[in-house]
Amino acid sequence: MSAGGKKKLGAAPTVEQIQSDIVTRLANQYWAPHSVAPKAPFNNKVIEDIFKKELLGTKFSVRRIMLLEFSQYMENYLWPNFHPEKSTIAHVMSIVIMVNEKFRERVPAWETFKNNPGHFPSFFRRIMSLSLQEEGISLREQTTLVVFLIHCVNSLEIDLIREQAQRLVSLPIWVNLLPGRREQIFKENPKYKKFWNVIKKSDAKAEEATLQNLDYERRFLARLIQKYCIVLDSVPASGPVSMSKVHYCERFIELMVDLEALLPTRRFFNTLMDDSHVVVKSHMSNLAKIDEGKLFSQLLDMLKFYSGFEISDQTGEALTDHNMTDIHYDRITSLQKAAFKHFSEELNQFALSNVAGIDTRETLLKHFKPLSNFKLHQIAAYLRLVEPPEEGKENVHSTDFLLELLVSRHERRPSQLEALNEMPLYPTEEIIWDENIVPMEYFSGEGCLALPKLNLQFLTLHDYLLRNFNLFRLESTYEIRQDIEDAVSRMKPWKGEDGTSLFGGWARMAQPIIGFNVVEVAKPNIGENHPAQVRADITVNLNLRPQIKAEWEMLRKHDVAFLITVRPVKNYGWKYIHTEPFIPQVGLTYVRGCEIEGMLDADGRVIEEGPDPKPELKGDTRTYRMWLDPNQYQQDMSATVEGKEDVYETFNVIMRRKPKENNFKAVLETIRDLMNTDCVVPDWLHDIILGYGDPGAAHYLKMDNQIASLDWNDTFLSYDHLRASFPGYEIKPKVNDPGKLVPPFRLTFPIQTSGKRKHGEEAPQEAEKVIAVEPHVIPNRGPYLYSQPKRNAVPFTPTQIEAIKAGTQPGLTVVVGPPGTGKTDVAVQIISNLYHNFPDQRTLIVTHSNQALNQLFEKIMALDVDERHLLRLGHGEEALETEKDFSRYGRVNYVLSQRLELLDEVARLQESLGVPGDVAYTCETAGHFYLYQVLSRWEEFLSKAKAPAGKSGDVFKIQELFPFSKFFENAPQPLFKGRSYEEDLDIAEGCFRHIRKIFTQLEEFRAFELLRSGADRSRYLLVKEAKIIAMTCTHAALKRRDLVQVGFKYDNIMMEESAQILEIETFIPLLLQNPQDGYNRLKRWIMIGDHHQLPPVIKNMAFQKFSNMEQSLFTRFVRLGVPTVDLDAQGRARGSLCNLYNWRYKILGNLPHVSVWPEYRAANPGFHFDFQLIDVGDFNRVGESEPNPYFYQNLAEAEYVVAVFMYMRMLGYPSEKISILTTYNGQKHLIRDVISQRCGNNPLIGWPSKVTTVDRFQGQQNDYILLSLVRTKAVGHLRDVRRLVVAMSRARLGLYIFARVALFQNCFELTPAFNQLTARPMQLHLAPSELYPSSRKIDEPPNGPTLIIEDMPHMASFVYDFYRNKVEMIMQRTGHQQPKVLQRPPQKKATPSIPQETPAVTVVEQPKVEKDMMEEHPGVDSDSDEEKGGENEEKDK
């Protein structure tokens, strides 16, 4: 790995340094937007001086570049003043450096060019010219240009970039190929010959200048390859190496990989790169053989892999192993034919051998090595790999090069899939601590890494899965390394006097092993060389606290654990040092993964999971049966045969992991399974998932199977609501009586055909915008109140209606739901409409978190969906706020209890009819009873009670003849109203529907009588009975194999929180079923999310930044241009709060209730404003601090936030309506500890609803949010606008932000929000005379004078006195004793602050306090993940 990839950035400049810096002074003079001074005119010398002194002079210091980019140098000075002819190299390079810095910081880089695109083509041409320039520009600067080109290749969704990049990789670049090779390709692909001739004709008509320009573009990449070869050849085999050359070569190979990994850039470029022999030349270079070239070699392996990838460059179709074998055989046989025809003397044996005997590297070298340079050149030229040799001229190609060229082209390539199948899925110690495989430290974004990238497009599904497999595996390995280091270091392994291992500490997640025994090594399956399975028993002593002991005993089947061998080298009493390397300190020797089968009972049998209670075991010794990795076991045993140590006799520690973070093996197995099967993605989705073709091809308007007429059930609240929901449409009701225009409605839409026109056909006319509306009455369901259908009460907006319409039609629906826009309500209504319109279809619901799934499920339960059709898979259903159990076994129990209740009803019906015998014994006997006794009576009743045609019926006849009156005696009476014949007949039919439903359900439940075991019953429920099945994306990945095996089927997928789900975890749920006749039965895919909020969490910065692993499939679809439905009205926050983030969305207004409901119209009592940004200065000269790396804290903000919370509680605000958020974990712990010290145990104040980070609070909300931004030196990760959107959108009624204003207001990305925040005073304005709830309206001034808080000590002192005065008044009024006194507030070291006098507060002189009070940082060592305060997870005994 390059040094740039590993090193941590130097300390970011402080605000004071920024303000005194020369760059800042220049910015204020020439371009800074916040500078009040008039701007000086453009001066090119400023750009030259900055480039020479601040960039070249500092060797491109990241700190200086950060400062320039942050000052909006490019947006306001470089690009507006760029001129194609006049701008200097320094000007062009400065723009390039700023763009690269934006990519490094992961902020939008192309917005400036998109807003002013006129000069971009000229600018891009300058980039090309400078990339090839030999003089006047250093190699380091040209490396910067290559990085810029890499960013361009990875931004092809931007029209501006794509327009320029495509010219460099289109068909005309084949002008650089050897003529013979070009003609051979044209012979194989005649269509390319036609295109080539068209290009030649076009060139013949072009002017000289245009032709020169076109020729320059066509030859650019070929010349860049030539330049690279010159640089590569200049690297010496030994001695000092110029790192500028190394970095240039690394970046160039990265550019080649990126070009090869995208089909649009690869199609013609792959042939050019092959013709230039980049891989062979790089492989033979000195750089590939020296230590400095380690990263270069890893990148080269990636390039080699992609250059020979299993894809047809011409058609873009994936090639199977069979196809690749055919290509390989064709190449070898053509070489054999050439050898036989032209070189039979030297290669006769080679020409007559079978392919399998000559296609290895060894045999090819054996045949070709004896040949002369000239002969090798002739063979290569005959194969059109190099130009033909010329008589009398010295050969330019070395023998080694020609030999490698022939061998590498014709050797048999190992199967990627076979290697993948033989790979152990658990990481070992060799991988976990290898920095070249898993980057060790913070990745700054500067350097280059040999990692796959997840960008917009993928070559094939195999490529898609493989990239995700590798990245997911490495990200999991990084997390495992963190867990092992944490657990083992807590155990304090020491070396005993006799050389044995002692443990001086303990860890919650790890225990010493007291017994290990391999109990089974099964024979290999046919065709495999590793055991079918390996099982072992591991014994531990759980002499622990009951809670932790229970956690170990609750380990589930398939949970992953790690077996560790530690051989300590440090003696008794030694203390672990976190800053030093881990392995040498603890003596870690081996790590192996395993999977839990179960805990053994007293008889040595595995305790099975299920609804039955587990047996209680005596003592503390527990034994677990484990599955070991057969591939790894085979490798270890092979090593033992060679004389190495038997790993399995050395383990002395077992480590478990948190269940939420421990799904990696199942996900990797699932991806591997998908790669080994013909994973059939629906045809209508295939190209979109890979990123090709028309992005809107799967939109319902372009699908051939649109459904014209649908029942919208309870979607509309009234006919007026329906009319308002379709602006621009003409509504045509099918009935004229306004009284009958009541929901539910069946709507018929015009079908828009989007099929391709044949030649000569007229364009299809756009369908008329007319909707036919037909109201229909839901059939009477019986006389009982519980039988009446539940109704939707949400007045959906037109955009929400469009989302519901799209979701019920076949195809892909992508709904962008900003905060508070009713995403969940839309999702639930889509599910309900699908359930009622397509009763035979099954819908799968997938979300990122259990919390979101439970919210969705609770709303579904409130709709008209039969409870027996709901199923919740996974372990999060315990948190459902309902007494009902929706798990598999819970649903089985529900069905069985429901069966008994229904059979009781059958018995009651039997009794009411006077039928003898026991017909309510089973579902089968009940079915016979219905057929022979119930149905016959009903048919007899109908024949007698129905009025003859054209005559009115007798109203009293119905009541007299109805055979089930006695059965319905427990219904509300009278059963028949006697008002009209039609009404009473409808009641009678409703009663019979109620009876029929009883027997219909019993018929469905009959299978549960026949199936005796709980497992069979739950399987039947999953596969047949349930219609709406919900699970998290993690559960889907974990259980895919099981679901496929039991024959799980579904027709629709609904994904909530799609923008928070990893790409691969979004893809897996599409393939939880086997294809039917080679087709996937999936009909609809509804994705709901918000890509403007936070993405999936990736812990390793290298994978997050370099590999773009945090990009969700939802975000990629949006980037590709897949049509979206953007919900455009929010109902969560006040309009003024919504303005802080609605600028990020296309359109986001407010629902009417936001300006009408009393809670929104009332002011926030005690505060002058409903939102405010409060400027927090240093406290005792300290702003942010960093006690541990990236563990940022700010004591002044923590104290200020807690003081405001205490003030709110004293005014009467309920604590559950207040949440405290912050942008860093360190600050979260600090705030919790300040609350503990100040007010946590005080019953009058207590704790807020939550104290947590912005990231963890995504998807939640509260009325009042207090937000601490922490940083005072650099903006940090709040510069990611997605985090800002989440932070600003959590509050409904009040948002109070505590931050260093001077730092954040200059950040370009945050400008729209901070312009609004800084328009208000930046000192906290209070109205202490008010109480909660407020009687003041939002637009009225506060009651009484306003108290302006100067700083944190002022607020803390004011709250201290305010509390004392309040309590004294209460005590005097009630006569009670004085309660607990508040701890004194923190003080400045210099002079104490005196609060201003207000009518509600008595000013008291500040008492003297200890000098060092509250200067330490409580919470530094706290590692609790809970959202309130609490003890540390682990403490040493």
Side-chain angles (χ1 to χ4, degrees), residues 674-695:
L674 289 173
M675 292 172 77
N676 278 287
T677 56
D678 293 328
C679 61
V680 181
V681 174
D683 291 342
W684 50 273
L685 270 179
H686 184 274
D687 287 355
I688 291 174
I689 284 175
L690 293 181
Y692 300 114
D694 175 12

Side-chain angles (χ1 to χ4, degrees), residues 625-645:
R625 178 74 43 82
M626 302 285 195
W627 287 299
L628 305 180
D629 189 319
N631 283 326
Q632 187 66 57
Y633 187 82
Q634 173 68 21
Q635 291 179 14
D636 289 334
M637 289 299 103
S638 300
T640 306
V641 170
E642 293 171 9
K644 293 187 178 177
E645 183 178 28

